[in-house]
Structures are given as structure tokens and as C-alpha cells.
Amino acid sequence: MAVNRMFRVCPATGFKVHEPAEALMKINAVTAVVALLVGGILALLVILTRWQTVHLLPADAFYMVLTAHGLNMLVFWIIFFEVAVLYFCGTVLLNSRLATPTFAWVAYALMLIGALVNNYAVMIRGDSSVMFTSYVPMGAHWSFYLGLILFAVGALIACFVFLGTLVVAKAERTYNGSVSLVTFGALTACIIAVFTIAAGAIILIPTFFWSIGLISHIDSLMYRTVWWGFGHSSQQINVSAHVAVWYAIAAIVFGAKPMSEKVSRGAFLLYILFLQLASAHHLLADPGLTSNWKIFNTSYAMYLAVLASMVHGLTVPGAIEVAQREKGFNKGLFEWLRKAPWGNPVFSGMFISLIGFGFLGGISGVMMGTEQLNLIIHNTIYVPGHFHATVVVGTTLAFMSLTYFVIPTIFRRELMFPGLAKWQPYLFGLGMSGFSLFMMGAGTLGVPRRHWDMSFAGALMQHEFPATAWLMMTLMAITGLVAIVGGAAYLLITVCSVFIGKKITTPGFKHISARDNAAAPVSLPNVVVPSHGNIGTAGFVAPGTFVLAIGFLISFVLYYFVNWKYLSTVWPLN
Amino acid sequence: MSAILPPAAKYWWKQPLDRVEGTWIVIALTWCLIMFFMMPYWHVYGKQNLSNEAYRTTPEVYQKKTQEMVDKYTVRKETAQEIPVVHPPAGSDVYLIARLWQWWPILELEEGKTYRLHIMSMDWLHGFSLQPENINIEVHPGYEHIVTMTPTKADNYSIICNEFCGVNHHTMASKLYVVKSAK
Ligand code: HEM
Ligand SMILES: [Cu+2]
Ligand SMILES: [Cu+2]
């Protein structure tokens, strides 16, 4: 079969876009958005049920909808989008063709079938309301596990297509020197994904056999240990992917370059090296594991992965600050930030994602992941509060802002409703941040997660939550609805733009073939880049970012020790 | 050169660190190490640590041990289901069963006394969540987990389930009474 080597040149960026890769990016991104739509409708139902004043669904429907919400959002929306991001970073950013588009289509087909089969088990059969964690011995229909396995195999193939593309790009010399930082971040995500999917296979395949009766028993602790090797590590895929997207957006909007390649790449490397045992922090309240094991693994070996995120948290805004200062916004500490394009959703979404991920998701995550502190948080609604800050404010919002860039460049359509698009990141990002905060507040007061009725209707004995807990849940519902409006705005804008938006045509458009595509073999200047010019203050090129970082650290330290203080007041245990 | 393009210099790793980055890395690393050492520190000096003591056992054996305790120390029965309220001696081994969708029996403990609380599930996963203290422990089938616990204040507490365990998960709530010691 002949290899399609047709490219088009992106008029906006000058990148060369491989046409088969472009089609694959589009289909994966569109499918992701469909999953987001489904997950979003389910989110509305979930929130209207947890809002006790409305209490919309009956218990069985609530648990079914919650299971489907978790899966469609966390697995299908995020991973389809990530595959599109991988293809983008592997081809467009390297001016390369995609290795084996056929396999990429096979990957897509498997993922799609997997997602459909899984949704069939949950929402049509209705006998698989086991939550996305599907802890044994509670069992789902076999098609539930089969769907997930097919999806995972598809995702694995997509990872190999990406890795193959890197090999092709290197061999065909489509770029000079090393791959870009963003591609490096995508590579990090991909490597983690390969490990993660292996863990998923180790646990889901036996569970599938168990569901059809070929295996008689699966130990619940073993299941949780291996399952979280999959479930948690896949969150690190998301982090790597959205950090790569942050860097990409900083580069696209500001032309920002990494403060230093070494530090940013080193931080990505830490993710790969230190997260493999991250399942530990989901098991801190479980019996049968030793404290030594828990302490070592919950901190991913002394918090070196946390260190990595703290580094990115500085270097991404730092890179923006340096770029802005070099453009002349060099006054005071924060002129660079004040003069940033706050009306451009590509930037505003990315920046809210960065701040929300760090302040809300990061701090709460480290707190929960501390061996003893976990006792006062485990399985309360604090936990979904934490991960809506990471995977929704962080990952989802970062992906949303990237879409606003991708629609004109890859889909070649003008953005519709630009006025609404301006507001969308604020509605979604701030709504979701409030939502996460109120969930955390309610969790601190003991409200459980995955729970249909905090008034315990029909129970023999009831517990009465304090009035503040009820208030927190109401505020959670209201801010959640704001976020839903923001999410709906995103869907409206993207779907309309992609399907009925005005086509962007480029005069003088031409295809070029791969032979002419090899990068001119210029040898890179054999020099060391000097450090940045005469900007900033006191030898600090990004003093504003540094002040923000110190503010972050102070909040972190205070919050961390407040929780130890609180822990010290509960019943002595050992 | 930008983050989406290959680095412009061949030897990009030789570019010196900016002072901002270097300083922040040192600060962040220090903080990470402090957080790491807090955990072993609390094992030595703190009073709230989850015990590592757990044994594999079967529902039958566990049920039997619980029944023995209930037979000896039941003081009254409560609710329409006549669930026994057990007042075991201070310092003793206390058993609590988690099952669909009930905690059994109801415990009555004395303020300031220490108990060895055994918890196990008979079927699926459950979540022991003591309210309003907000102490939360995962409960597995087949693992008898022993937690040494010292109630500090007399009051009526609740035990709710916070691990999803099926459609009546929300009804799995019980009481734990702490009373002033009799002596
Ligand atoms: C406006 C948007 C959203 C709203 C209002 C929302 C709301 C909720 C609520 C109320 C819960 C249930 C908490 C509980 O009872 O345990 C929940 C669970 C969850 N949400 Fe969302 N969500 C939204 C978007 C998302 C997105 C974008 C993702 C992923 C990328 C996501 C992932 C999850 C997951 C994984 C769960 C846990 C399900 C489980 O416990 O099994 N959500 N969400
Ligand atoms: Cu339960
Ligand atoms: Cu339960």
C-alpha cells in the first residue's frame, strides 16, 4: 500500500500537517467531545440528585448515572482527546507524517467499540452500576470489563503509533536536534500510558474471567492494589498531557520558550521515574499493608513527582513572564500578567487551569495522600472535590482552551460565538473551582462520596450532618450548575464551529510531498544559549512568578499543618 | 525557539539555570522532604496512626467470635430489628461486622478507655466512617482489621458506610455510644 505523504502547510503557524494524521486528530477529538456531552448530561443528573432539595433520581438510577458519568468523563473524554494530542505532538510539531495511519484507525475503532460496549453494559443493560473503579467482589456484567479491555488495547495501539511516529520523524529527519519540549511532554504521557495500561490489563483481564465464571475468587485488597496502579498512574498521564498543553499554549499565545529546557524536561522525567507505585495513596486506610510500604509509596519516593509538578507550576508562568517582559511589559511585579490577553480563551482557560490545578488540586492531593491525614478524608466527598480540581479544572479546562486554537488551525473553521467563548473559561473554570472547594468543605464535615441520600431516608438509624455540611452541598450544587453552563457553552461553540462554522480557505494553498519535507540540514549553532537579557529584578528574570510561587507555598504549608492540627484532635488510634 | 519547536541550541542542556528556577527547586525540594518526614515523625510522636494489624480469616470464624462477644455483653436491644447493644469491658477485644446493609452489633464504649476494635466485612467492600469525628477506614471481606481506639468524649456517635456497596448503601448507618465510665 502506498504511503500517503501529502501535507498541507498551516498558514497560521507554518507547520506542515500530514493529511491522514489530520483526519485522525479530528475524529478522535470529535469523539472525545461527544463523550464529554454524554458525561455532561449525566453530570447534570448527578448534581441534581446530590442536591438534596431536588433529589431528582431514585437510588438505583443515581448509581447507574454516576458510574456512567465517571467512565465517560475520566476515561472516554480524556483519553480520546489525549490520543488526538499525541498525534498532534508527534506529527504537526515535528513536521512529520504519522506512522501507519491504518493502525491508528484500528486503534480508534477498538476504542470506540470498547466505549460503546461499556456504555451498553452500564446504561442499557443497567446491571453494571459498580462505579468506574469496579471493586470486587461487587461484580458487573462481563461486557463492562470487555468494553474497558477493548478500549485499553486501542489506546495502547495509539501509543505505539505515536512512538512509531517519533521514529519515523527521526529517520526522515523532519526536524533538527531534539524534539520540542511539548512533544517531550507528550512522550512522557505516552510512556506512562504504556505502563499504566499494562497494570490495567493485569487486573481487568482476570476480572473479566471472573465475571464469566472461569476464576472463582479475586482478593479485594489485591484488586484495589493493582487497580490503582492503573487508576492512579493514568492520572499522571493526564497531568503530563495537560502540562504539555500548558507549555504549548504559552508558546502559541506568547511565543514563550522554556526558561530552561533542562529543568522542564528534567521535571517530566521525574514523573516517569517516580509515580509507578502511586496506587499506595488509595490504600492508606486499608488493612493488610504495612506503614513502611504506605509511607514510601504514597510519597512516590519522597514526593519527587510532587516536586516535578511544583517545578512546572513555576516554569510555565515563568516562561510567560519572561516572554512578556522581553516584549516590554517589564514594569513592576505583575505588569506582564495584567497585560496578558485575558479575553482570549486560549490563554484565560490555560491560566485558570494552571492556578486551579495547583492551588486546589495539588494542595488537597498532597494532603489526602499523607498516610495519617488520609484517615480524616478517605472516601468522603472531599475526594471527588480534589479530583474535579485536578482532572476537570486542570486537564479538562486545559484541553478546552487548546480546542479554541485547534478549531481554526486543524479544523479550518472560524470560531462561532466568539463573545461566548471569551466567557466560557471563566464560567467553567471558576464554577468548577467553587464546586471543588465546596465538595472539600462538605467532605471535611464527613459527607460521604457516592452516596444517594445524606439524610439516610429509610435507614434504621440515621446520622444528622451539621447544617454547614448541608449548606456546603447546596453551594456545591449551585456552583456545579454554573460549571455545567460553562461546559454547555463549550459544547455549543465547538460543535457549531466544527460543523457549521465558516470555512477558512487559504489562497495559494498547496500540498507538498514528503520528499520535499525533510528539514533543511542546517547544523544547529554549536553554542550555549546565553541566559535571558536584562529583565526582571534582583537577578530574577521572573520575579512576579516567584512571588506567586511563594504565595502558593505559604498556602500549602498552612493548609498542610492545619490538617495535622485537626488530626491531632480526633480519637487516638493505633 | 519556543516550547513547540525543537530547542535552538544543540547543547541545550548546557544553558545555565535561571536564579528563579534554582531557588525554587531548592525550596520545593526542602518542603517535599519535610512532608515526607512528617509521616514517620507522626508514627513516633503522634497519637493517630492506622494500625497494621490485620489477619486473614473467614466470615464464619469472624461471625462466631462476634457472636460470643454479643452473648456475653449485650445490655439491651434497639431498633425494630432488635439489634443488640453491647457494652464490653474496657480494654477488651470488640468486634464489629459490616455486611449488606448493616453494622452489627451496636457498640457502647467508655470514655477514655482503650479498646481493640476488630472490623471485617462479610461480603463486599464497606467503609467505616465514624461521625462526627470523621475517622474513615476501608473494610474488606476476609481481612480482620484490628484498630486500637480510645474514645475521648462521651456522646452519641454514628457509623456510616462510605464505600459504595450497592443500592441501599445509604441505609447502612448505625450508632456508637460513648458513655462516662461507670467506676
Ligand atoms: C460541570 C461538570 C461536572 C459536574 C457538575 C460534575 C459533578 C460530579 C458529581 C456531583 C459527582 C459525584 C460525587 C459523588 O457523589 O461521589 C461526580 C463524580 C465524578 N466526576 Fe464529575 N462532574 C463534572 C465534570 C466532570 C469531568 C469533566 C470529569 C472528568 C474529566 C469528571 C469526573 C468524575 C469522576 C471520575 C467522578 C467519580 C465517579 C465515582 O465516584 O465513581 N466529572 N461529578
Ligand atoms: Cu456498606
Ligand atoms: Cu456502603
Side-chain angles (χ1 to χ4, degrees):
Chain A
M1 198 182 69
V3 178
N4 179 339
R5 289 168 186 266
M6 295 316 269
F7 290 79
R8 68 172 175 81
V9 179
C10 172
T13 57
F15 280 118
K16 300 189 196 87
V17 187
H18 184 223
E19 291 179 336
E22 187 174 19
L24 278 153
M25 282 180 245
K26 284 184 184 170
I27 190 81
N28 278 287
V30 167
T31 314
V33 170
V34 173
L36 183 67
L37 169 67
V38 174
I41 295 169
L42 298 167
L44 181 63
L45 296 173
V46 170
I47 201 125
L48 290 181
T49 307
R50 288 230 64 165
W51 187 4
Q52 295 272 156
T53 328
V54 182
H55 212 51
L56 184 70
L57 299 176
D60 52 349
F62 170 74
Y63 292 124
M64 178 185 91
V65 162
L66 183 56
T67 305
H69 168 69
L71 285 158
N72 278 293
M73 289 300 206
L74 191 65
V75 184
F76 306 139
W77 143 249
I78 296 273
I79 296 182
F80 273 115
F81 200 94
E82 275 166 357
V83 169
V85 170
L86 284 187
Y87 293 162
F88 179 80
C89 295
T91 62
V92 180
L93 294 188
L94 297 181
N95 289 319
S96 172
R97 68 181 172 91
L98 188 75
T100 65
T102 324
F103 277 97
W105 281 105
V106 171
Y108 172 74
L110 281 173
M111 289 168 68
L112 182 65
I113 295 169
L116 292 175
V117 169
N118 179 271
N119 270 305
Y120 156 80
V122 176
M123 287 200 286
I124 297 181
R125 295 189 58 88
D127 59 358
S128 300
S129 304
V130 292
M131 305 294 142
F132 72 97
T133 44
S134 55
Y135 295 142
V136 301
M138 182 189 283
H141 188 251
W142 56 263
S143 55
F144 177 94
Y145 310 106
L146 184 67
L148 289 180
I149 292 168
L150 291 177
F151 185 86
V153 172
L156 192 63
I157 295 175
C159 287
F160 283 111
V161 170
F162 169 74
L163 294 174
T165 302
L166 296 188
V167 174
V168 165
K170 182 111 211 148
E172 297 180 357
R173 278 194 273 131
T174 60
Y175 62 95
N176 283 307
S178 313
V179 299
S180 70
L181 175 62
V182 172
T183 306
F184 189 80
L187 175 62
T188 305
C190 178
I191 292 173
I192 297 171
V194 172
F195 282 110
T196 299
I197 295 172
I202 293 174
I203 198 62
L204 285 174
I205 293 174
T207 310
F208 170 67
F209 287 136
W210 172 73
S211 71
I212 55 177
L214 289 180
I215 292 181
S216 64
H217 175 77
I218 293 185
D219 181 79
S220 60
L221 182 60
M222 189 277 289
Y223 180 96
R224 272 171 58 83
T225 310
V226 184
W227 194 91
W228 279 112
F230 162 63
H232 188 84
S233 314
S234 56
Q235 302 320 305
Q236 212 75 25
I237 310 175
N238 301 341
V239 175
S240 310
H242 77 229
V243 171
V245 168
W246 291 344
Y247 279 115
I249 289 177
I252 290 162
V253 177
F254 300 96
K257 47 190 179 233
M259 295 177 80
S260 72
E261 296 274 355
K262 182 165 52 184
V263 170
S264 300
R265 286 173 199 244
F268 275 123
L269 206 59
L270 287 179
Y271 282 152
I272 301 182
L273 295 178
F274 292 106
L275 66 93
Q276 287 313 318
L277 290 162
S279 78
H281 68 233
H282 295 264
L283 306 166
L284 297 174
D286 287 44
L289 301 161
T290 68
S291 290
N292 289 343
W293 186 87
K294 287 176 177 174
I295 290 179
F296 184 77
N297 289 310
T298 191
S299 59
Y300 317 135
M302 306 206 196
Y303 290 114
L304 291 180
V306 172
L307 176 67
S309 290
M310 288 176 75
V311 169
H312 289 305
L314 177 93
T315 57
V316 174
I320 295 178
E321 177 169 357
V322 169
Q324 286 280 77
R325 285 184 187 274
E326 282 174 349
K327 266 183 225 146
F329 300 119
N330 194 20
K331 266 202 266 79
L333 275 181
F334 292 115
E335 193 195 16
W336 62 277
L337 193 56
R338 271 201 319 277
K339 298 271 169 72
W342 291 100
N344 176 353
V346 181
F347 166 73
S348 63
M350 172 259 157
F351 208 80
I352 297 172
S353 158
L354 173 88
I355 298 290
F357 178 78
F359 277 84
L360 300 176
I363 294 180
S364 63
V366 174
M367 191 286 263
M368 288 196 313
T370 305
E371 194 206 358
Q372 295 91 344
L373 296 178
N374 187 262
L375 277 174
I376 51 176
I377 282 311
H378 181 70
N379 270 350
T380 64
I381 203 163
Y382 189 99
V383 177
H386 152 74
F387 68 70
H388 281 79
T390 55
V391 89
V392 187
V393 182
T395 312
T396 300
L397 185 54
F399 289 178
M400 285 175 166
S401 20
L402 185 67
T403 327
Y404 294 123
F405 168 73
V406 165
I407 287 176
T409 52
I410 298 291
F411 286 90
R412 314 288 303 132
R413 302 276 187 164
E414 272 175 23
L415 204 62
M416 288 181 76
F417 314 113
L420 183 62
K422 223 179 191 170
W423 287 102
Q424 189 276 333
Y426 295 96
L427 277 175
F428 188 77
L430 300 181
M432 213 63 213
S433 301
F435 172 82
S436 301
L437 266 177
F438 293 126
M439 270 187 159
M440 293 181 203
T444 310
L445 298 168
V447 179
R449 72 184 287 198
R450 300 174 166 175
H451 199 270
W452 178 63
D453 188 1
M454 67 186 280
S455 72
F456 303 91
L460 271 183
M461 286 165 274
Q462 270 123 358
H463 171 66
E464 233 171 85
F465 280 107
T468 350
W470 287 82
L471 177 67
M472 290 286 168
M473 292 300 282
T474 304
L475 292 171
M476 168 197 102
I478 293 167
T479 44
L481 290 174
V482 174
I484 298 236
V485 172
Y490 169 79
L491 291 167
L492 179 76
I493 296 163
T494 48
V495 172
C496 289
S497 309
V498 165
F499 291 104
I500 55 175
K502 193 160 154 261
K503 282 213 170 96
I504 302 176
T505 46
T506 325
F509 175 83
K510 66 174 196 295
H511 288 291
I512 48 167
S513 84
R515 190 157 351 100
D516 312 323
N517 183 39
V522 288
S523 61
L524 287 172
N526 200 348
V527 293
V528 171
V529 187
S531 35
H532 306 285
N534 230 340
I535 52 167
T537 39
F540 277 35
V541 287
T545 300
F546 192 75
V547 169
L548 284 179
I550 294 295
F552 170 77
L553 185 74
I554 292 171
S555 332
F556 198 166
V557 174
L558 288 178
Y559 186 70
Y560 184 75
F561 284 112
V562 162
N563 279 286
W564 280 107
K565 179 88 190 60
Y566 173 59
L567 177 74
S568 73
T569 65
V570 310
W571 292 3
L573 301 169
N574 61 60
Chain B
M1 179 175 92
S2 84
I4 51 174
L5 297 176
K10 201 164 183 180
Y11 300 115
W12 48 263
W13 55 88
K14 288 197 183 152
Q15 181 191 346
L17 278 196
D18 268 320
R19 187 181 292 179
V20 205
E21 286 181 309
T23 317
W24 178 245
I25 291 175
V26 172
I27 296 175
L29 181 63
T30 314
W31 172 235
C32 288
L33 290 176
I34 292 174
M35 291 194 297
F36 180 71
F37 286 112
M38 267 314 280
M39 292 186 285
Y41 169 86
W42 201 260
H43 273 280
V44 181
Y45 297 102
K47 292 215 179 78
Q48 292 79 10
N49 289 291
L50 186 62
S51 101
N52 292 323
E53 194 178 349
Y55 304 99
R56 276 172 180 276
T57 179
T58 61
E60 296 72 39
V61 174
Y62 191 75
Q63 171 81 43
K64 201 163 141 260
K65 288 201 265 186
T66 313
Q67 191 63 51
E68 274 165 22
M69 171 195 75
V70 169
D71 290 345
K72 271 202 221 140
Y73 302 118
T74 298
V75 290
R76 61 179 184 276
K77 300 204 165 167
E78 280 188 5
T79 78
Q81 284 184 12
E82 301 269 292
I83 300 179
V85 179
V86 178
H87 188 124
S92 67
D93 283 84
V94 179
Y95 295 83
L96 181 64
I97 285 178
R99 65 186 167 212
L100 299 168
W101 284 281
Q102 185 187 55
W103 300 98
W104 192 89
I106 299 172
L107 302 173
E108 187 175 274
L109 307 178
E110 291 177 13
E111 180 184 281
K113 296 286 157 53
T114 299
Y115 299 84
R116 278 166 57 80
L117 175 65
H118 300 231
I119 327 175
M120 191 175 103
S121 160
M122 301 280 118
D123 35 55
W124 291 349
L125 286 174
H126 295 283
F128 173 93
S129 177
L130 181 74
Q131 296 300 333
E133 280 300 288
N134 211 2
I135 293 174
N136 304 283
I137 300 171
E138 191 79 26
V139 186
H140 283 258
Y143 289 86
E144 179 175 349
H145 192 185
I146 303 163
V147 183
T148 309
M149 189 175 262
T150 316
T152 48
K153 194 165 152 285
D155 206 342
N156 294 347
Y157 294 85
S158 303
I159 300 172
I160 62 176
C161 177
N162 71 0
E163 180 60 83
F164 172 61
C165 56
V167 69
N168 284 327
H169 167 52
H170 67 280
T171 63
M172 190 165 159
S174 176
K175 291 285 159 197
L176 187 150
Y177 301 116
V178 177
V179 295
K180 292 245 188 283
S181 71
K183 61 149 179 78

